Amino acid sequence: MRVGVLALQGAFREQREVCEALGATVTEVRVPEHLDACEALIIPGGESTTMARLLRTSGLHDPLVARLHDGLPVLGTCAGLILCATTILDGLPGQESFGVLDVTVRRNGYGRQQESFECVLDLEGAPGFPGVFIRAPVVEAVGPGVAVLAEHGGTPVLVRDGVRFGATFHPELAGDPRLHEQFLHAARAA
Amino acid sequence: MASDARTTGTARVKRGLAEMLRGGVIMDVVTPDEARIAQDAGAVAVMALERVPSDIRRDGGVARMSDPAMIEGIKAVATIPVMAKCRIGHFAEAQVLEALGVDYIDESEVLTPADEAYHVDKWAFTTPFVCGATNLGEALRRIAEGACMIRSKGEAGTGNIVEAVRHLRSIFGAIEGLASATPKDLKAAAREMRVPKALVREVAERGELPVPLFCAGGIATPADASLAMQLGAQAVFVGSGIFKSEAPEVMAKAIVEATTHYQDPSIVAKVSTGLPAAMRGDEIKTLEVKLAERGW
């Protein structure tokens, strides 16, 4: 399976390494042509405001949104989830998102870096998963049709709507491929 | 077993924030307005300081940590990470920056060093640190002290990339040298660099530092950023190069794009076309003070 990893900015290398270890062929996506062959997409952590700007300047924004609305499986982690969300709180004025996951997220919802933390998560099918939260967003509301697959401290940290997955933490830094495995499995079945 | 317990300040979350900045541009800003411009242009983080390095160089005197009020002012407008500098070895300034809640502390040679024997013990902090290095030994000593990100020192405030290139080449060259080293060589290298053997072995096995390596010092154009990235830096710091250029907003956007698309010369060419003048810049030989010589 050919997986695209949005590589405008952020932790795209770690996403690439996890996918390759699971046998996927990875394309780093920086311009629209890179999207063509992708059968699934991962949007990594990084700065959502930076990526939103580079999505426009690179011409990727519109073709990417079109592919997502067409049903391209997507896993957004941290900033990647913010980009997929329908509503962003505490963003920059006019900050854009794709609106393909019906959730409301608050940027830096836990606070600044000193509040970044590790914990243990019980994901569906992946108990005891290392949770790495870095200036993470908080999911404040979830629309109908979106399933909450894991919570921490009473807040959703992993959500799914069909082939669209969003995590507020960083599975690519966890040293544990189980969530990526689940995503690739769902993408292959799509 | 899952529980609501959280552990802050782990090596993974401290180094992890550095991973999140990859492929990005960290910009020096001296006012909330500049922070806004930087953020709108696509900066991944801002470095809050009172004077950019070229002004520190011009003014002379002792350069210290910035006024907390100015750091607070920048924190109030920035939704992206905010970094601030403390003097080399000045752990009390670092404590103040941690109390202010900055996201990253730069123990920086751009400020006047406070201790000639010791750098800050960075393991003692929840806030991650970035430190400058001119060679592999320096980089590894800082990592052994707890630094979570290394940057080239370059020669800050000159608009001249030559020193940063020298530092990057020196670090990468030395890492390559370790790849073919025997266990005996690694032991000797550790002794020579005054760092733990296990750290040298880790670098030899990975073929890279255990923390991200960014470029700083002298970046003044989009092509400079592309050069740094092609040499292997994972992100760039731009100090004086943006707000000492003729049109900071335009320069900031151009350097952000060139850093992302560093492998695509046609995009670097496009963003370089018709740019207002970059900062003037200095020949290294004419400098009275070489900042890169501070620290060891």
Side-chain angles (χ1 to χ4, degrees):
Chain A
M1 153 164 267
R2 182 170 293 276
V3 178
V5 175
L6 189 68
L8 295 172
Q9 192 273 314
F12 49 85
R13 194 179 83 173
E14 287 76 6
Q15 300 280 11
R16 177 189 190 115
E17 287 167 357
V18 184
C19 291
E20 284 177 346
L22 291 171
T25 309
V26 173
T27 303
E28 291 188 355
V29 176
R30 291 190 179 82
V31 292
E33 304 84 89
H34 294 162
L35 260 184
D36 295 345
C38 295
E39 298 159 279
L41 181 72
I42 293 181
I43 309 180
E47 279 307 315
S48 61
T49 52
T50 302
M51 287 191 235
R53 199 187 140 68
L54 288 164
L55 279 162
R56 281 293 175 193
T57 56
S58 64
L60 259 172
H61 184 274
D62 293 352
L64 182 50
V65 172
R67 286 292 309 273
L68 291 175
H69 280 292
D70 253 9
L72 180 69
V74 63
L75 165 63
T77 63
C78 196
L81 166 62
I82 296 173
L83 287 172
C84 289
T86 41
T87 311
I88 304 174
L89 305 175
D90 289 347
L92 288 185
Q95 183 172 341
E96 289 184 310
S97 60
F98 306 142
V100 293
L101 254 178
D102 188 7
V103 293
T104 300
V105 290
R106 185 175 297 281
R107 280 182 72 209
N108 307 330
Y110 293 94
R112 289 186 169 272
Q113 173 63 14
Q114 284 172 20
E115 271 67 56
S116 292
F117 64 95
E118 289 189 58
C119 65
V120 180
L121 299 171
D122 274 341
L123 310 186
E124 216 173 271
F129 193 89
V132 183
F133 291 77
I134 298 174
R135 285 172 48 96
V138 169
V139 174
E140 297 208 342
V142 174
V146 177
V148 175
L149 300 188
E151 289 190 346
H152 186 257
T155 313
V157 295
L158 178 64
V159 295
R160 175 177 181 181
D161 181 358
V163 290
R164 297 163 180 169
F165 289 66
T168 60
F169 54 98
H170 292 282
E172 77 282 11
L173 299 183
D176 184 328
R178 285 178 292 170
L179 178 55
H180 284 80
E181 220 163 39
Q182 287 183 11
F183 169 64
L184 294 181
H185 186 261
R188 267 191 215 103
Chain B
M1 259 304 281
S3 75
D4 287 350
R6 296 178 185 178
T7 316
T8 57
T10 63
R12 192 139 60 168
V13 297
K14 288 158 83 173
R15 291 177 181 183
L17 180 57
E19 316 279 1
M20 296 309 139
L21 303 177
R22 281 214 182 125
V25 184
I26 300 148
M27 302 185 191
D28 278 5
V29 298
V30 301
T31 64
D33 271 346
E34 288 188 357
R36 229 177 260 119
I37 291 171
Q39 182 162 269
D40 290 344
V44 287
V46 290
M47 177 74 71
L49 71 179
E50 263 165 9
R51 294 174 289 172
V52 293
S54 63
D55 288 339
I56 291 175
R57 195 175 275 294
R58 187 200 60 205
D59 297 349
V62 173
R64 310 179 178 92
M65 175 188 77
S66 297
D67 180 345
M70 123 0 109
I71 294 171
E72 291 288 3
I74 286 168
K75 268 179 63 207
V77 303
T79 68
I80 56 179
V82 175
M83 303 186 179
K85 292 182 193 289
C86 73
R87 284 181 262 176
I88 289 175
H90 206 314
F91 55 85
E93 283 188 350
Q95 289 163 353
V96 170
L97 295 176
E98 174 149 281
L100 292 173
V102 302
D103 296 290
Y104 240 93
I105 299 173
D106 183 3
E107 185 182 18
S108 177
E109 70 285 356
V110 166
L111 305 184
T112 311
D115 192 322
E116 293 185 330
Y118 297 101
H119 283 67
V120 172
D121 169 17
K122 293 166 272 285
W123 296 113
F125 290 77
T126 303
T127 310
F129 277 73
V130 52
C131 288
T134 61
N135 56 49
L136 181 60
E138 225 179 331
L140 295 184
R141 285 191 290 280
R142 297 297 85 77
I143 293 168
E145 293 158 1
C148 295
M149 179 202 300
I150 296 296
R151 55 170 177 75
S152 61
K153 286 184 176 172
E155 193 54 43
T158 61
N160 189 336
I161 191 78
V162 67
E163 293 298 305
V165 168
R166 186 212 311 277
H167 301 159
L168 289 176
R169 284 201 186 280
S170 163
I171 294 168
F172 287 123
I175 292 174
E176 237 169 72
L178 290 181
S180 52
T182 63
K184 205 174 144 202
D185 294 340
L186 292 180
K187 212 168 142 188
R191 200 176 319 116
E192 193 194 321
M193 293 191 283
R194 291 171 281 133
V195 294
K197 270 178 298 192
L199 182 56
V200 177
R201 222 168 19 237
E202 187 185 356
V203 172
E205 277 163 17
R206 294 170 55 119
E208 63 176 3
L209 297 179
V211 306
L213 172 59
F214 291 4
C215 179
I219 291 175
T221 67
D224 285 349
S226 169
L227 175 67
M229 295 293 287
Q230 290 189 59
L231 287 173
Q234 288 152 352
V236 299
F237 284 82
V238 186
S240 320
I242 288 173
F243 289 97
K244 289 292 170 187
S245 73
E246 261 180 22
E249 211 176 320
V250 182
M251 185 61 86
K253 288 178 181 165
I255 292 180
V256 167
E257 279 190 65
T259 303
T260 289
H261 300 288
Y262 71 93
Q263 294 158 307
D264 189 336
S266 66
I267 296 181
V268 180
K270 192 185 86 187
V271 301
S272 303
T273 304
L275 269 188
M279 69 180 282
R280 186 173 166 277
D282 296 305
E283 180 70 45
I284 303 296
K285 273 183 284 197
T286 65
L287 301 177
E288 280 173 26
V289 179
K290 289 197 181 143
L291 302 177
E293 291 171 358
R294 295 170 167 179
W296 48 91

